[in-house]
Amino acid sequence: MSALVATRAPLGRQLRSELRWILRRPRTVIGLALLCLVPVLAGIGLWVATGDGGPAGPGLAAIVDGNGLVLPVFTLFLALPLLLPLVGAVWAADGLAGEAQHGTLRGLLIAPVGRVRLLAVKAFGVATATLLAVTLLAVVGTVVGLVLFGGDGMLTLSGSTLPAGAALGRIALAVLLVTVQVWGIAAVALAISACTEHPLVVMAATMAGVIVFSVLGMFSALDWLQPYLITSAWNGLVDVMRDPLPTEQLWRSTALAGCYVLIGLSLAAIRLATKDN
């Protein structure tokens, strides 16, 4: 027993190794770089639209002119329905299905490392990379928004103007809320990833589920189902742009995403526990 404990790698070393494995892959670097183009392209598009003398569009886009700190929040909500879930699904697919496809998962399963611990390390890597992606999106959006639209505060949907410090706090809150939602999708993707050796199957199944959930949320006859669909809570996240800040919908959407995280990781743990070496 003592020999087994002695050969077990420290948890901190495993977490650092997982992060290096994720962040050093060329496709990860390329993906993050392309993700940073989203606020740039969105900002340029809104800047051109507002240059015609009219509003850039409905919702947050209508108040972005002269209010650059709105752009990062607008960009986060623009990327949430498809782009960010795809990013989370890609990393989740590589974490288990990708390892299985390349034959390295077998070695990890027979190593003196608990399977639940292995899943925790993989989930940590996916969660950290997702947080990094969302944060980069918001930081680039903030810089682009200030450069193109200026402004020293944030005009809210309630008509009030928040000072710069409070506005940055709202952006940070939006980053946290959106990240938790993506974690919910990524956890389900990890559960799917534990059941297959093909990363493309994981990405396709995850994105198909997101699209199906979005479509189901459009039917009034299925109102009883909407409280259980993670995508139905995304529209309520715009409350982060209201003053005073309403918290009921934000807490509900965060709790729902937390349930998806718990269910997804539980299913992945059950599958790994019964997976053949």
Side-chain angles (χ1 to χ4, degrees), residues 124-165:
F124 171 81
V126 173
T128 304
T130 300
L131 177 60
L132 175 62
V134 177
T135 302
L136 279 176
L137 200 64
V139 170
V140 175
T142 301
V143 174
V144 173
L146 291 177
V147 170
L148 293 180
F149 302 103
D152 54 0
M154 175 186 286
L155 178 64
T156 67
L157 293 175
S158 303
S160 60
T161 301
L162 299 175

Side-chain angles (χ1 to χ4, degrees), residues 6-248:
T7 58
R8 178 172 295 180
L11 180 60
R13 183 186 302 173
Q14 288 180 306
L15 296 178
R16 290 192 299 270
S17 176
E18 183 68 18
L19 286 180
R20 286 196 299 268
W21 178 75
I22 292 177
L23 298 179
R24 287 182 178 180
R25 287 178 302 180
R27 65 169 170 264
T28 298
V29 177
I30 294 174
L32 290 175
L34 292 176
L35 193 65
C36 290
L37 288 179
V38 174
V40 176
L41 297 177
I44 293 175
L46 293 174
W47 180 73
V48 171
T50 56
D52 295 334
L60 295 179
I63 61 174
V64 73
D65 191 19
N67 192 24
L69 291 178
V70 171
L71 182 62
V73 181
F74 172 78
T75 305
L76 288 175
F77 293 154
L78 181 68
L80 180 57
L82 286 177
L83 186 57
L84 288 176
L86 177 60
V87 169
V90 168
W91 284 323
D94 285 338
L96 294 177
E99 295 268 20
Q101 186 180 53
H102 292 92
T104 54
L105 183 61
R106 180 181 298 273
L108 293 174
L109 291 177
I110 63 177
V113 176
R115 298 191 177 197
V116 174
R117 184 177 182 177
L118 173 63
L119 176 63
V121 170
K122 294 295 183 182
F124 171 81
V126 173
T128 304
T130 300
L131 177 60
L132 175 62
V134 177
T135 302
L136 279 176
L137 200 64
V139 170
V140 175
T142 301
V143 174
V144 173
L146 291 177
V147 170
L148 293 180
F149 302 103
D152 54 0
M154 175 186 286
L155 178 64
T156 67
L157 293 175
S158 303
S160 60
T161 301
L162 299 175
L168 293 177
R170 293 296 182 93
I171 295 174
L173 178 60
V175 168
L176 180 60
L177 293 173
V178 170
T179 300
V180 172
Q181 299 300 314
V182 181
W183 283 349
I185 300 297
V188 176
L190 270 175
I192 301 173
S193 185
C195 300
T196 180
E197 298 181 357
H198 305 285
L200 288 179
V201 173
V202 179
M203 290 182 281
T206 303
M207 297 313 299
V210 171
I211 294 173
V212 169
F213 277 24
S214 299
V215 172
L216 291 177
M218 297 178 181
F219 295 99
S220 57
L222 298 176
D223 287 345
W224 59 271
L225 184 61
Q226 292 183 12
Y228 306 100
L229 303 177
I230 188 172
T231 55
S232 65
W234 290 350
N235 290 333
L237 296 179
V238 77
D239 284 348
V240 75
M241 287 294 299
R242 304 189 189 279
D243 186 39
L245 180 67
T247 59
E248 181 179 357

Side-chain angles (χ1 to χ4, degrees), residues 1-8 112:
M1 183 66 181
S2 59
L4 179 60
V5 175
T7 58
R8 178 172 295 180

